[in-house]
């Protein structure tokens, strides 16, 4: 079966690793062969998926900084690239064609990208086959700005072979925040593929070193990841989003600034009270 690459992107701290690990678990629990690749120099992308399992160097690696791997929840394979790529010790392609990885023959490779995507986003090199980008965001303006930059990247030649897997609206504290992301998505014609509430269970699962699907299998959040996994397996529609221009984004932000401040202060534009 052909491999599908799922690239998880977004501003730092929005929940990319949380999304990547729980989506990996949801796919693996349905019997898919899943490889989660972490690019974080602290090897933290896979920590909840591999639970207590130690990372060990890929066997037979000749370079100095071997990528590390471990078996994770529901048979998912975890791979941490650490600094191997930055130091030029390896390319993604060397790693994905390594006998241990090729022998596992993943159906889904999830790439938990690290760092800021703004302006300079690049797909991990060496991706061959179908790739789909999931844009993770909270309702914060800087996270949405980063998503708008990702949407602009979709109009470049570098994105020609990449499909859009939708927005993962994460860490939302209630209806107001859902309305902000949903309005941004409708302005940019973007599909929201998952809505994940802010949940203390995410911190609990971090403390337990488990995915949410293990520590809180019947929680709302776990169901959101299972639903996302199902829609990806079905091969969701991938209409391309349309980024807002700088001016349109700035007036959109102004509009939401006004709405939030009116709700907070009870004073609407023009000095009227509500
Ligand atoms: N839905 C949520 N509810 C509550 N906390 C969350 C949620 N999603 C993520 N978090 C918390 O937010 C923090 C950042 O999440 P995470 O590490 O997944 O972000 P990231 O985008 O991978 O960050 P980085 O860019 O640094 O790699 C973590 O402490 C995580 O537990
Ligand atoms: Mg991360």
């Amino acid at each position: 079966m052909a491999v599908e690459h799922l690239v998880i992107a977004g501003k730092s701290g929005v929940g990319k690793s949380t999304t990547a690990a729980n989506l990996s678990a949801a796919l693996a629990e349905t019997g898919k062969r899943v490889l989660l690749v972490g690019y974080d120099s602290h090897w933290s992308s896979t920590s909840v998926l591999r639970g207590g399992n130690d990372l060990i160097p890929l066997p037979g690696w000749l370079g100095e900084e071997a990528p590390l791997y471990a078996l994770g929840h529901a048979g998912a394979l975890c791979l941490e690239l650490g600094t191997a790529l930055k130091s030029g010790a390896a390319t993604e392609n060397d790693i994905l064609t390594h006998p241990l990885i090729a022998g596992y023959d993943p159906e889904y490779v999830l790439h938990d990208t690290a760092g800021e995507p703004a302006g300079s986003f690049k797909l991990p090199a060496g991706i061959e086959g179908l790739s789909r980008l999931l844009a993770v965001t909270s309702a914060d303006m800087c996270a949405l700005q980063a998503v708008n930059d990702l949407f602009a990247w979709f109009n470049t030649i570098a994105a020609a072979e990449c499909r859009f897997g939708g927005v993962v609206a994460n860490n939302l504290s209630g209806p107001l925040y859902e309305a902000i992301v949903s309005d941004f998505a409708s302005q940019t014609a973007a599909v929201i593929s998952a809505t994940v509430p802010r949940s203390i269970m995410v911190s609990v699962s971090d403390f337990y070193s488990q995915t949410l699907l293990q520590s809180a299998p019947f929680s709302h959040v776990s169901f959101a990841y299972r639903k996302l996994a199902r829609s990806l397996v079905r091969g969701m529609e991938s209409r391309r989003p349309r980024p807002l221009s700088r001016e349109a984004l700035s007036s959109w932000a102004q509009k939401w600034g006004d709405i939030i401040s009116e709700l907070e202060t009870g004073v609407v534009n023009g000095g009227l009270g509500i």
Side-chain angles (χ1 to χ4, degrees), residues 31 36-37 49 59 63 69 93 122 174 180 188 193 198 203 229 240 246 256:
L36 172 59
V37 185
L49 188 62
Y69 81 100
N93 201 40
K122 285 198 194 77
I180 294 172
T188 51
S193 49
R198 179 169 181 78
S203 315
R240 284 187 172 231
R246 213 151 61 90
W256 275 102

Side-chain angles (χ1 to χ4, degrees), residues 13 15-18 40 44-45 112-114:
K16 297 182 296 297
S17 298
T18 304
D40 180 283
S44 63
S45 291
D112 176 19
T113 64

Side-chain angles (χ1 to χ4, degrees), residues 166-190:
V167 171
V168 176
N170 182 47
N171 213 353
L172 305 183
S173 306
L176 173 66
Y177 299 92
E178 285 179 29
I180 294 172
V181 181
S182 140
D183 185 42
F184 175 78
S186 88
Q187 298 294 323
T188 51

